[in-house]
Amino acid sequence: MEFKNTLDFAQTLDEKDALKAYRKKFHFPQVNGKDVIYFTGNSLGLQPKNAQKYVDDIMNDWRELAVEGHFYAEKPWWDYHERLAKPLAKVVGANPEEVSVMNTLTVNLHFLMVSFYRPTKTRFKILCEAKAFPSDQYMLQSQVRFHGLNPEETIVEIKKRKGERFWRTEDVISKIDEVGEELALVLIGGVNYYNGQVFDMEAITKAGKAVGAFVGWDLAHAVGNVALNLHDWDVDFAAWCSYKYMNSGPGNASGVFVNKRHLGKKDIPRFEGWWGTKKETRFLMQPQFDPIDNADAWQVSNPPVLSLAPYLASLQLFEDVGMDALIKKSNLLTAYLEFILHEVDKEVESTFEIITPKDRGCQLSVFLHGEGRAIFDYLMKNGVITDWREPNVIRLAPAPFYCSFEDMFRFGQILKEGILSK
Ligand SMILES: *Cc1c(COP(=O)(O)O)cnc(C)c1O
């Protein structure tokens, strides 16, 4: 499609957009009396308008039923979390029994490491991307130290080549082959939070498994953003937060994937609690742990129903739309944003550069030369919500559920004004 940098053209794309009705299903913050142009769905998704009702329902049930709500609420609390597994499984390409919702992301990675990082004298190394999200780095380092090992000798980081802005799949795979029999675990962010790169999860998983390692993915920036086929790719485990592209609300619960092959086992190392035992025998209060034969076996506590409520509301929207339609719009919207950036770039003579490769979801990371911070501040003052990453990067993530083509056009105008006014 031949794009044009005009309001008319952008509005025509919006009219043809199969998802256009969904923009109205979200609350937008206002700046200068207008809806903002929201580029930070990769950090905290907007609030779906149906979320309030889901939360109110729980509050009402609690008020009117108290403890009886566990079994007699319209959506009983004791298995409330099970309602999320099926729609989530579609989002990540899994069987419903392979998916569960619990805790928060870094907590779940720690829990999953108990099962999937079992270093021996000869096989103990972990492979991850250089400059992984800080929480993931702290998590890995503390796990390694917990096992009495030295992070520097244990964690192998894959770096970008000198002068390049993204990782090459071939470099990841040759590193996996090089570490070979010493490799215990591959754990990488499926979509890099900084440059928006999508790793070739299928090829990397295959390579990791071929040398006998477990392979897990942190999908914080991938879930609800790019196509995932965790089951078919034969991934061992994955975890993600839900407040980014999944629009579930600040700090909300995390999802986990555990491959079917690891389910229903009593001998897998795991930190256990009462919500992971079989439902039929749970309230017999017996001393033996009898794991549920699905991913809920990793559930330790009874679930935080109040926070699962807005997550379930959001999943309703994912059910309605489906990932295929969402990704289709996302690709066009981000391509249009890229076009707009190039158009502005021509007019202002190269003050920035897109550092996101073609393997991407909706996010474009833009390296601003010169007056970066001032341009960022100008955008924020003028109703464009984006975020700033040191040393000089703004991340633009037009989430397809609620961002419009007109937003992209208007953003281009504001960006140009911002740069020319400096
Ligand atoms: C957002 C994000 C996190 C956040 O972790 P929490 O435990 O939810 O605070 C962790 N890892 C990555 C890669 C992220 O993008």
Side-chain angles (χ1 to χ4, degrees), residues 21 39 49 111 124 174 211 247 250 264 273 284 302 304 369 386 389 405:
F39 280 122
K49 287 183 179 166
F111 273 115
F124 59 95
S174 65
V211 300
N247 312 318
L284 300 179
N302 78 100
H369 298 292
T386 144
R389 284 289 174 267
F405 293 89

Side-chain angles (χ1 to χ4, degrees), residues 42 104-107 109 129 132-133 135-136 189 191 193 218 220-221 241 243-244 251-252:
N42 58 348
T104 43
L105 173 54
T106 310
V107 173
L109 289 172
E129 75 279 34
F133 191 85
S135 197
D136 297 31
V191 174
Y193 79 98
D218 180 336
H221 281 261
C241 49
Y243 45 82
K244 293 172 180 169
N252 210 344

